[in-house]
Amino acid sequence: MGIVSRTLNLFAHWANLLFVKTKLLPDNPIAQFDLNPNLPTFYVARLNSRADLAALDAVCKKLGLPRPTQPQRLGDNDIDRFLGLQNPTPLFAKVAAPSNVLTTGRAIFSALHGDPQIQAQIIPVTILWGRNPGKEKAGIGTLFSHSLTPSWLRKFFVLLFSGRDNLVRFSQPIDLKQLINDKSDVDELPQKLVRVARVHFHRQKLAATGPKLPSRDKLFSSLLAAPAIKKAIADEAKSKGLSYEEARLNAQELLDEIAANYSDAMVRVGDRILTWLWTKLYNGIEVKYADRVHQLADKGHEIIYVPCHRSHMDYLLLTYVIYHQGLVPPHIAAGVNLNFFPAGGIFRRSGAFFIRRSFAGNKLYSAVFKEYLSQLFIKGYSVKFYTEGGRSRTGRLLPPKTGMLAMTLQSMLRGIDRPISIVPVYIGYEHVMEINTYLKELAGNNKKNESVFAVFKAIKNLKNYGRGYLNFGEPINVNQYLTEHQRNWRDAIHPTDVQKPQWLNTQVAELADTIMTNINSAAALNAINLLATILLCNSQFALSKRKLLTQLSFYLTLQRSAKYNAQVTVPKDSAEELLSHALQLNKLDVIADELGEIIAIKEKERTLFNYYRNNILHLFAVPSVIAQLLFNRFTVNVDECKQMFATLYPLFAKEWFLTPLRDEYIEEVLVCFAQQGLIEFNGQTAQVKKDSSAVTQLEMLGKVCHLTLERYAITVSLIQNNQGITRKNLEIESDVIANRLGTLHGIKSPEFFDKKVLVAFISSLKENGFIKMSDEQCIRAEAKLEHLQHYLDELLPASISHSIQDTL
């Protein structure tokens, strides 16, 4: 290395110290990719830039990896560790000189080929300065943008203005053995390496910045020229007696209402504000399974995020997490009710596009929106929408609304060449900002429209909301899903004229259920939802601290050793640590007397705690029923349990979007009970120990699903006692009895009285063959319903069963 080169590297090093702040992804690449710092190591990057080299060198020094500024001894030669695919563009020339990648690559592969015992790792590293995707039509802003290959002068401005937004992302080392096996000729291997790396860096850049942005005018012009919109404009003009230009102006106004106006500058400002906001609101945001999204991005997939919807915070939190994972924020389908001043403009420039609640009767709006959505996919933008349609008021997943999903599949039928994957996302909180509002709405108050005053009020009331949880669920490759479930789906592909295939509604409904199931499979347990699950099952919503910690420890062990699904995340904290954390959130009272401390839910929080319990109720469905059966019988046979769940579980699965019951799950639960000293289990028969504490623990767990079983029992009893009852009357009478039981037994859980839950249960009874329904909506019981009633009578306390019978 000459003196000039060393001087320039030293200058880049000091510039990096002064101007650069690097975000490293992943946080621990050595553990993530099983890197070995002792192996000969090389780094391949997109640009052979001294600024990039200095940024990478600082990161490697911090991680303890071999320094890219130092040569690597390989065989008998010293070889540069840093391979840049492309040299910077010269200031006064159009063509850059060839980089060192082919020469250095040839030296590496020659050494490896000469001595098969040598092991080495070549690590692709994506180095970005800012996330500006650039514009389709370049302007003066490109002087400060890293979206193109910069000259040294442009790189100086990039470093100056974007140095604080430097991103260094390590990727899985290239499989050298496979590369060598694929190309036996050593001279061809460097070219192969370059081709693989170029595809990789193109995908990484697209994933981090998104495609280049068109001007808004150009976007609108191209959309209005689309055949589907031109036809809709002509139909609008004809049906309403307008000129074509007047109808076209209407379509343009609709586009202006719908379309996002993404701005990298707004996103960067939002990032800084949200970083401050999360610090004020939360004790931390726990993110799990983000590697799933990175793997999709590495493979070039179009990504659609479909989260559950608990709060308006979801919009901000998921976008923030995605951005901090080094990925471009998605375009977000937001309800048009959020398009109010000033939030609407901010959301729009952050990537939100607005959608009306209903398209009914407005064919022009429908055509414009569908074309806009298709263009997002065709251009390669990631998208986010909420298939529940609105925020859950009860903490349960809502039945999916399939409009956006149907339009997504119809967009695929335009012949999008990239694979599309849906990423379900579970979002959970220890405090939901709007929960008091939800309770008022469930009590009958009208939903209030969003406004700037509500925003200011929310900001004024900022307080400690505990922790937030975001788990990326199992992705669904839509292309693969359709191939497995509808083999002829590609026959419907047409670049412009997409007719709705007959199979679309069925596949959309099934895909929507799969998405919801994958969301619930990635649920996150936390201090508040666990304590709610325990305390709501006890009279006066209170328990001695000792018993509470014992039960909490039992639930933690149960969810660690007998999980409903392997993706469910369980806190690493002990029961004592979780309780200590929960007490800081001011939701619980500690009452001391001569016998010790009692932990109780604050009176104003009692009904609200049902919301948090409902976030995770599905995780306790099977253990709760088993515990109740043990409490009632004291001796239970595995085969008897399986027979009971053959009847009950399909109803649970429909209500809570559960995966099929695993064959070994019942045994896993019983083994856990045995390990906790609650029962004796020989692999086939379980018997409760006579210890009173064991009986108490099983009784509390058994009560977790009582309200669900009570709802079932009310409806089933009405059907059995009123053969031929109409669906409408069944819904009315079930509601009446539910309210009476609520008064008699002090039931406060909102979903117990939720008519939507009742309607869904009746549909589930029909789908699973428990009842038949005539054309006149009259209901008759099938033989299976008697078995269901028998199990419900056995599981529920006699007082509840008697109350139901007394009201019939």
Side-chain angles (χ1 to χ4, degrees):
M1 185 183 296
I3 187 169
V4 174
S5 184
R6 286 198 299 270
T7 302
L8 290 175
N9 281 349
L10 184 62
F11 177 79
H13 168 75
W14 283 104
N16 187 79
L17 289 177
L18 292 172
F19 299 112
V20 177
K21 181 179 180 181
T22 297
K23 178 173 180 59
L24 172 65
L25 289 172
D27 293 334
N28 188 354
I30 295 177
Q32 179 95 12
F33 302 122
D34 196 23
L35 304 180
N36 186 347
N38 298 317
L39 282 181
T41 301
F42 301 91
Y43 306 93
V44 57
R46 184 178 70 90
L47 193 63
N48 189 25
S49 159
R50 295 186 191 277
D52 289 17
L53 176 60
L56 177 60
D57 186 67
V59 168
C60 290
K61 180 181 179 182
K62 187 175 181 179
L63 292 172
L65 286 169
R67 305 277 292 276
T69 52
Q70 299 171 354
Q72 174 67 58
R73 188 74 177 177
L74 201 63
D76 297 327
N77 300 311
D78 287 332
I79 304 173
D80 287 341
R81 282 200 177 108
F82 188 73
L83 291 76
L85 297 187
Q86 189 176 355
N87 277 335
T89 304
L91 187 58
F92 300 108
K94 293 183 178 180
V95 180
S99 75
N100 68 337
V101 65
L102 293 178
T103 304
T104 305
R106 195 171 295 111
I108 294 171
F109 289 115
S110 294
L112 295 176
H113 192 267
D115 185 356
Q117 299 302 315
I118 296 178
Q119 291 183 313
Q121 52 191 6
I122 299 181
I123 307 170
V125 183
T126 304
I127 303 171
L128 295 175
W129 303 84
R131 308 279 195 87
N132 191 339
K135 297 186 179 296
E136 290 183 355
K137 184 177 180 181
I140 192 171
T142 58
L143 179 64
F144 314 116
S145 170
H146 199 243
S147 59
L148 303 174
T149 304
S151 65
W152 67 264
L153 181 60
R154 285 188 60 245
K155 192 61 175 251
F156 170 76
F157 286 108
V158 167
L159 187 71
L160 191 62
F161 290 99
S162 299
R164 310 303 289 177
D165 290 307
N166 175 241
L167 175 70
V168 174
R169 171 156 157 65
F170 284 72
S171 296
Q172 186 73 41
I174 294 170
D175 190 337
L176 296 179
K177 289 184 180 179
Q178 182 179 340
L179 204 62
I180 292 171
N181 290 337
D182 291 346
K183 294 284 185 183
S184 57
D185 188 343
V186 174
D187 291 335
E188 295 182 13
L189 288 173
Q191 284 89 349
K192 174 75 172 178
L193 174 64
V194 169
R195 288 195 295 272
V196 170
R198 277 180 178 157
V199 171
H200 174 78
F201 290 130
H202 171 73
R203 289 176 175 174
Q204 289 292 309
K205 185 177 182 302
L206 189 65
T209 68
K212 291 183 178 180
L213 300 172
S215 69
R216 198 167 174 83
D217 290 342
K218 184 178 178 181
L219 173 65
F220 285 9
S221 296
S222 65
L223 287 169
L224 292 171
I229 291 186
K230 289 174 73 174
K231 182 179 182 302
I233 290 172
D235 292 343
E236 176 86 351
K238 183 178 179 181
S239 65
K240 295 188 176 179
L242 305 174
S243 68
Y244 184 85
E245 284 304 316
E246 287 174 326
R248 188 179 186 276
L249 185 61
N250 289 344
Q252 185 169 328
E253 289 175 353
L254 291 175
L255 272 174
D256 195 49
E257 174 192 314
I258 294 167
N261 189 22
Y262 182 83
S263 165
D264 173 66
M266 177 61 73
V267 170
R268 282 188 281 116
V269 171
D271 171 51
R272 284 154 177 75
I273 293 172
L274 289 179
T275 298
W276 168 83
L277 183 64
W278 301 145
T279 303
K280 293 281 290 183
L281 287 182
Y282 301 110
N283 293 334
I285 306 295
E286 296 189 15
V287 180
K288 301 293 184 184
Y289 309 125
D291 55 307
R292 291 170 165 169
V293 186
H294 288 299
Q295 289 169 9
L296 293 175
D298 290 347
K299 294 174 182 177
H301 284 229
E302 175 76 30
I303 300 175
I304 301 172
Y305 302 93
V306 183
C308 61
H309 203 4
R310 313 282 195 212
S311 165
H312 281 318
M313 281 295 176
D314 301 345
Y315 297 109
L316 306 175
L317 180 60
L318 180 53
T319 298
Y320 179 83
V321 167
I322 291 169
Y323 186 74
H324 276 259
Q325 288 298 320
L327 299 169
V328 63
H331 277 53
I332 308 162
V336 74
N337 59 305
L338 293 178
N339 190 16
F340 60 89
F341 179 83
I346 296 171
F347 290 156
R348 196 184 297 275
R349 293 181 69 79
S350 301
F353 60 97
F354 294 99
I355 180 172
R356 295 179 182 177
R357 291 289 182 188
S358 172
F359 293 10
N362 196 334
K363 293 182 179 180
L364 181 60
Y365 181 85
S366 178
V368 167
F369 188 89
K370 288 178 180 178
E371 188 65 29
Y372 176 74
L373 185 64
S374 292
Q375 285 301 310
L376 290 180
F377 293 138
I378 289 169
K379 287 180 176 292
Y381 295 103
S382 58
V383 172
K384 176 176 74 174
F385 60 79
Y386 298 89
T387 193
E388 291 173 279
R391 292 164 291 157
S392 171
R393 267 61 176 173
T394 63
R396 300 154 53 96
L397 287 187
L398 302 176
K401 298 183 186 303
T402 55
M404 280 292 295
L405 196 56
M407 287 186 281
T408 298
L409 264 61
Q410 286 181 290
S411 296
M412 287 183 63
L413 300 181
R414 297 279 294 270
I416 298 171
D417 56 1
R418 300 174 70 202
I420 293 180
S421 284
I422 292 173
V423 179
V425 185
Y426 176 92
I427 302 176
Y429 304 94
E430 290 182 331
H431 179 84
V432 172
M433 186 173 62
E434 306 97 325
I435 193 165
N436 284 295
T437 303
Y438 293 167
L439 189 61
K440 291 176 184 177
E441 290 175 15
L442 288 168
N445 289 10
N446 292 329
K447 179 180 179 294
K448 292 184 179 180
N449 293 328
E450 277 72 24
S451 69
V452 66
F453 302 106
V455 173
F456 288 140
K457 183 178 179 181
I459 293 173
K460 180 183 176 182
N461 293 332
L462 291 182
K463 60 180 181 179
N464 178 13
Y465 287 162
R467 295 172 185 153
Y469 299 82
L470 193 149
N471 293 347
F472 292 98
E474 184 69 33
I476 302 165
N477 184 319
V478 182
N479 308 62
Q480 182 179 329
Y481 181 92
L482 287 178
T483 299
E484 292 173 357
H485 294 83
Q486 190 68 43
R487 295 187 179 277
N488 64 338
W489 73 273
R490 295 182 186 277
D491 296 342
I493 290 177
H494 191 281
T496 56
D497 186 20
V498 179
Q499 297 296 322
K500 185 177 179 179
Q502 290 184 345
W503 50 260
L504 186 68
N505 288 345
T506 300
Q507 294 305 334
V508 166
E510 292 180 1
L511 179 57
D513 280 348
T514 302
I515 292 168
M516 305 305 278
T517 299
N518 286 14
I519 290 174
N520 261 352
S521 294
L525 292 150
N526 62 54
I528 296 300
N529 57 35
L530 282 166
L531 289 170
T533 304
I534 296 169
L535 291 171
L536 288 173
C537 293
N538 288 273
S539 58
Q540 305 305 313
F541 311 106
L543 203 60
S544 72
K545 183 177 180 179
R546 180 181 59 80
K547 285 189 176 181
L548 178 61
L549 288 173
T550 299
Q551 195 72 2
L552 181 55
S553 180
F554 169 37
Y555 285 8
L556 288 170
T557 302
L558 175 64
Q559 293 297 336
R560 287 167 182 159
S561 62
K563 284 185 179 182
Y564 149 70
N565 191 287
Q567 300 172 77
V568 173
T569 55
V570 184
K572 295 180 180 178
D573 310 82
S574 66
E576 289 81 2
E577 289 168 334
L578 289 176
L579 178 57
S580 175
H581 166 72
L583 290 174
Q584 296 173 16
L585 302 180
N586 198 33
K587 296 177 182 295
L588 301 167
D589 283 325
V590 180
I591 305 164
D593 60 18
E594 293 83 355
L595 300 178
E597 292 181 336
I598 295 172
I599 309 298
I601 305 173
K602 286 182 180 289
E603 186 173 354
K604 66 177 182 178
E605 298 282 347
R606 290 175 182 177
T607 304
L608 305 181
F609 259 50
N610 286 278
Y611 187 98
Y612 304 111
R613 188 265 314 274
N614 288 344
N615 290 175
I616 61 164
L617 188 59
H618 62 288
L619 304 182
F620 289 90
V622 172
S624 176
V625 170
I626 294 174
Q628 186 63 48
L629 203 59
L630 283 164
F631 177 75
N632 290 346
R633 293 186 182 179
F634 269 71
T635 301
V636 171
N637 184 278
V638 169
D639 291 336
E640 292 173 334
C641 281
K642 290 183 176 180
Q643 288 174 8
M644 176 176 281
F645 280 111
T647 300
L648 284 174
Y649 195 80
L651 300 172
F652 289 169
K654 187 68 177 178
E655 177 162 352
W656 289 312
F657 301 102
L658 302 180
T659 57
L661 184 64
R662 292 186 289 111
D663 291 339
E664 66 278 12
Y665 186 34
I666 292 171
E667 284 90 337
E668 288 175 6
V669 171
L670 290 171
V671 167
C672 178
F673 288 178
Q675 290 172 344
Q676 292 296 295
L678 306 181
I679 64 172
E680 293 177 350
F681 180 53
N682 62 11
Q684 185 59 37
T685 302
Q687 185 171 0
V688 179
K689 289 190 174 181
K690 295 181 179 180
D691 184 346
S692 61
S693 62
V695 175
T696 301
Q697 286 183 259
L698 290 171
E699 181 185 20
M700 279 194 281
L701 178 56
K703 288 180 179 179
V704 168
C705 276
H706 270 194
L707 292 183
T708 299
L709 299 177
E710 286 173 31
R711 281 192 290 102
Y712 289 3
I714 291 170
T715 304
V716 169
S717 297
L718 277 168
I719 294 171
Q720 291 283 39
N721 284 272
N722 299 275
Q723 292 293 326
I725 188 173
T726 65
R727 179 164 186 158
K728 182 178 180 180
N729 285 338
L730 177 61
E731 292 172 8
I732 293 171
E733 292 187 33
S734 293
D735 185 54
V736 169
I737 296 175
N739 279 284
R740 184 171 181 81
L741 259 64
T743 302
L744 290 172
H745 298 279
I747 298 171
K748 301 286 187 181
S749 183
E751 80 278 359
F752 188 76
F753 312 99
D754 192 339
K755 292 181 181 179
K756 292 179 182 178
V757 175
L758 171 61
V759 169
F761 175 61
I762 295 170
S763 296
S764 183
L765 288 174
K766 179 184 175 184
E767 290 175 21
N768 287 286
F770 289 98
I771 60 174
K772 273 190 176 180
M773 198 173 296
S774 69
D775 294 338
E776 293 77 24
Q777 297 291 294
C778 293
I779 298 171
R780 292 200 173 274
E782 294 287 282
K784 286 177 64 175
L785 195 67
E786 188 174 344
H787 295 294
L788 175 59
Q789 186 173 35
H790 168 73
Y791 288 133
L792 293 172
D793 288 342
E794 183 173 12
L795 291 169
L796 287 172
S799 59
I800 297 291
S801 297
H802 290 157
S803 293
I804 294 173
Q805 292 302 318
D806 287 345
T807 58
L808 295 177

